[in-house]
Amino acid sequence: MIAIRGHRRDYDRLKESGLDGWGYDDVLPYFKRMESSWRGSDAFHGDSGPVEISLMDRADMLFEPLREATIAAGYGATDDPNGAIQEGISRMEATIGRGRRSSAARAYLRAAMHRKNLTIATRARTLRILIENKKAIGLEYETPDGVQK
């Protein structure tokens, strides 16, 4: 449930290796669009997406003494692990909203469950993507009842 995106440098390395569209500046708009951050909307965060992001801030977590010891040992600190400065100790954020995990199923599937072109299968293993005219049109998958399309 930790809400951490990965480091800017990692995405930029993907782009440098030839994966156009995977640099940090390319993927940041998608991160912002997916989240409803407790921070609100800013250069690094969104405030109206389906995945709720909250601060893990409890007194029993002993964060302040740990932060002080980390800084005293010569390491950095940041107020936002998904912001401009990603290195250093920080309070973590979680994909939790209103006391519940903001899972992919809750954030995305629940809203789409009424769609006629969506089948949700449990205990299923995807075998292949069905492509027609260069467009994905479905899946072939296996369940305990056999292969399905």
Side-chain angles (χ1 to χ4, degrees):
M1 292 185 286
I2 298 294
I4 193 80
R5 300 173 182 163
H7 199 281
R8 166 188 290 271
R9 181 176 50 245
D10 295 328
Y11 292 102
D12 289 343
R13 284 183 181 154
L14 290 173
K15 186 173 185 173
E16 289 166 11
S17 72
L19 294 171
D20 289 333
W22 281 94
Y24 184 79
D25 291 336
D26 301 313
V27 298
L28 180 59
Y30 296 98
F31 286 131
K32 290 174 63 174
R33 190 168 35 203
M34 70 165 224
E35 74 179 13
S36 284
S37 174
W38 67 275
R39 297 172 184 276
S41 181
D42 64 22
F44 296 96
H45 301 283
D47 65 354
S48 59
V51 178
E52 296 181 70
I53 308 294
S54 61
L55 179 64
M56 294 175 69
D57 185 19
R58 293 178 35 167
D60 63 346
M61 293 178 73
L62 299 173
F63 177 75
E64 286 307 322
L66 181 59
R67 182 180 185 279
E68 290 172 19
T70 301
I71 292 170
Y75 296 97
T78 182
D79 291 329
D80 184 356
N82 293 311
I85 299 170
Q86 295 178 287
E87 294 90 4
I89 188 171
S90 66
R91 290 190 186 275
M92 296 308 299
E93 297 175 335
T95 54
I96 297 173
R98 292 168 273 152
R100 297 190 70 187
R101 179 174 180 225
S102 188
S103 66
R106 184 169 285 121
Y108 292 98
L109 278 181
R110 186 164 288 164
M113 287 177 71
H114 69 282
R115 292 173 49 176
K116 292 178 182 174
N117 66 343
L118 174 67
T119 300
I120 297 173
T122 59
R123 298 180 58 207
R125 180 176 63 106
T126 301
L127 301 174
R128 65 186 179 119
I129 299 171
L130 303 175
I131 298 176
E132 190 173 280
N133 297 323
K134 298 183 180 183
K135 181 180 178 183
I137 61 164
L139 295 175
E140 181 179 276
Y141 59 97
E142 185 176 28
T143 70
D145 296 327
V147 175
Q148 312 291 321
K149 289 187 181 183

